Amino acid sequence: MKTRITELFQIEHPIIQGGMHHVGYAELAAAVSNAGGLGIITGLTQPTPEDLAREIARCREMTDKPFGVNLTFLPSFKAPPYPEYIQAIIEGGVKAVETAGRSPEQYMPTLKAAGISVIHKCTSVRHALKAEKIGCDAVSVDGFECGGHPGEDDIPNFILLPRAAEELSIPFVASGGMADGRSLVAAMALGAEGMNMGTRFIATTDAPVHDNVKQALVDADERQTRLIMRNLRNTERVMKNAAVDEIVRIEQLKGEAVAIDDIRHLVTGVQGRKVLQEGDMDAAAWSCGMVAGLIHDIPSCETLISRIMDEAETIVRQRLSGFL
């Protein structure tokens, strides 16, 4: 399948693995890239730029295919040294960067001068247009269904994707609710030229997370996510667990007066690692999309991507053409 996204990133299939904190390590990125998609190392999961440089080198040992690095520009308790992380990306020869959160505008000249293709994750058409204006090569349009940060507009992909198609000139992929061949064909029918999957890639044999996390995704349905930090204007979609129940209780109690310090102990990266790496499923809030309802097994990335592409082709050639 050839689209502007496969051409831009020089990949076989229009499938991107989104950046995920404490999930997007070299093992997963290499597995996705080897299967024909675009694997992504999560930059800020690495404690220092030097660690990121080593992770990029480690990924190169596992794949000779293109892969990228995610850099998320979000409010944080301590601002990371973004220029140094970008330098590690450049020196590592990485040619694809997924940016997210705040605008990457101040870093675009450096990235473009290094010949890096930038895809920015956006939760609204207005942000996607800004990304196009500042020189991003593509955008990932992130619907309200997504895990992690869905923005504050609450617009699902059935509306957001065709709106993006009406406004954008650069190519975009659909993110949020993407799981299988049906997702890919539907996204492309609505104007996207590929899809970005996060939660679905956690439930693979290649994802370097605890088996408890993978099994929780298989066991969950589409009703198991919750939205937290709404009053902080930093909304996050997470899997329901004891920590999330406590966050919701605190937020309901405090209302508009809630502050990040009230829930910090339940949302920090240190606590998140206890879930993802140690399998302590109630230790903290962890990002998860509604797409959990469409996850029924734990295949390899190779099996998953091959299955997606086979299903997409069958839908287009047989089911859809049969309606005409």
Side-chain angles (χ1 to χ4, degrees):
M1 187 178 287
K2 182 183 289 188
T3 72
R4 285 189 291 171
I5 289 295
T6 62
E7 296 291 288
L8 175 64
F9 295 113
Q10 294 297 293
I11 53 179
E12 184 180 357
H13 307 304
I15 298 173
I16 298 174
Q17 168 241 318
M20 293 173 284
H21 210 32
H22 303 305
V23 178
Y25 293 97
E27 292 90 341
L28 181 58
V32 172
S33 290
N34 283 333
L38 183 68
I40 300 284
I41 294 170
T42 306
L44 297 188
T45 288
Q46 300 300 317
T48 69
E50 292 75 21
D51 289 313
L52 176 58
R54 284 189 286 271
E55 194 72 3
I56 290 170
R58 204 162 70 87
C59 194
R60 290 219 177 279
E61 294 175 355
M62 290 184 269
T63 185
D64 58 0
K65 303 288 182 66
F67 63 89
V69 172
N70 164 278
L71 274 182
T72 299
F73 303 103
L74 281 174
S76 59
F77 305 132
K78 183 181 179 182
Y82 287 113
E84 287 83 355
Y85 276 100
I86 290 172
Q87 192 58 37
I89 291 167
I90 293 170
E91 291 178 0
V94 175
K95 293 302 180 183
V97 166
E98 176 194 59
T99 56
R102 292 175 171 175
S103 172
E105 184 170 9
Q106 71 182 99
Y107 304 107
M108 288 298 293
T110 303
L111 292 167
K112 301 309 293 182
I116 292 172
S117 296
V118 178
I119 179 168
H120 185 57
K121 183 168 283 191
C122 306
T123 59
S124 69
V125 174
R126 65 186 184 281
H127 291 146
L129 286 169
K130 177 64 183 297
E132 180 176 79
K133 183 178 180 181
I134 66 174
C136 291
D137 301 277
V139 292
S140 179
V141 176
D142 219 8
F144 186 55
E145 307 92 330
C146 74
H149 298 277
E152 308 301 325
D153 292 342
D154 300 1
I155 309 297
N157 269 329
F158 229 76
I159 305 300
L160 195 56
L161 297 177
R163 278 291 295 123
E166 290 176 351
E167 300 283 350
L168 293 171
S169 298
I170 58 175
F172 66 93
V173 298
S175 182
M178 302 292 114
D180 51 33
R182 297 172 298 182
S183 309
L184 179 58
V185 173
M188 297 180 80
L190 294 173
E193 297 192 39
M195 68 179 181
N196 177 303
M197 298 196 304
T199 303
R200 186 60 188 94
F201 276 125
I202 298 178
T204 60
T205 57
D206 301 295
V209 302
H210 199 280
D211 285 344
N212 289 355
V213 177
K214 301 177 187 184
Q215 192 59 47
L217 290 172
V218 173
D219 293 341
D221 64 28
E222 64 276 11
R223 302 169 298 167
Q224 300 306 309
T225 68
R226 297 291 183 269
L227 296 171
I228 60 173
M229 299 192 286
R230 300 231 80 179
N231 285 344
L232 297 173
R233 302 287 294 171
N234 190 29
T235 301
E236 183 177 4
R237 186 179 297 283
V238 295
M239 177 71 88
K240 183 184 185 305
N241 63 8
V244 170
D245 288 343
E246 176 63 7
I247 292 168
V248 170
R249 186 192 70 79
I250 293 169
E251 291 182 331
Q252 288 175 341
L253 181 67
K254 298 271 187 174
E256 294 290 337
V258 71
I260 188 64
D261 284 341
D262 295 323
I263 60 172
R264 186 193 300 256
H265 61 294
L266 298 170
V267 298
T268 62
V270 172
Q271 288 299 106
R273 281 198 296 273
K274 289 183 180 179
V275 177
L276 294 166
Q277 303 302 322
E278 299 174 24
D280 183 353
M281 299 308 296
D282 288 316
W286 58 286
S287 294
C288 174
M290 287 181 175
V291 75
L294 297 175
I295 295 174
H296 309 303
D297 63 353
I298 306 171
S300 67
C301 289
E302 182 179 8
T303 297
L304 176 62
I305 290 178
S306 176
R307 188 169 72 195
I308 288 170
M309 298 312 300
D310 287 346
E311 184 181 14
E313 183 172 348
T314 298
I315 291 170
V316 173
R317 292 189 186 277
Q318 297 179 24
R319 185 167 189 268
L320 296 184
S321 63
F323 290 146
L324 297 178

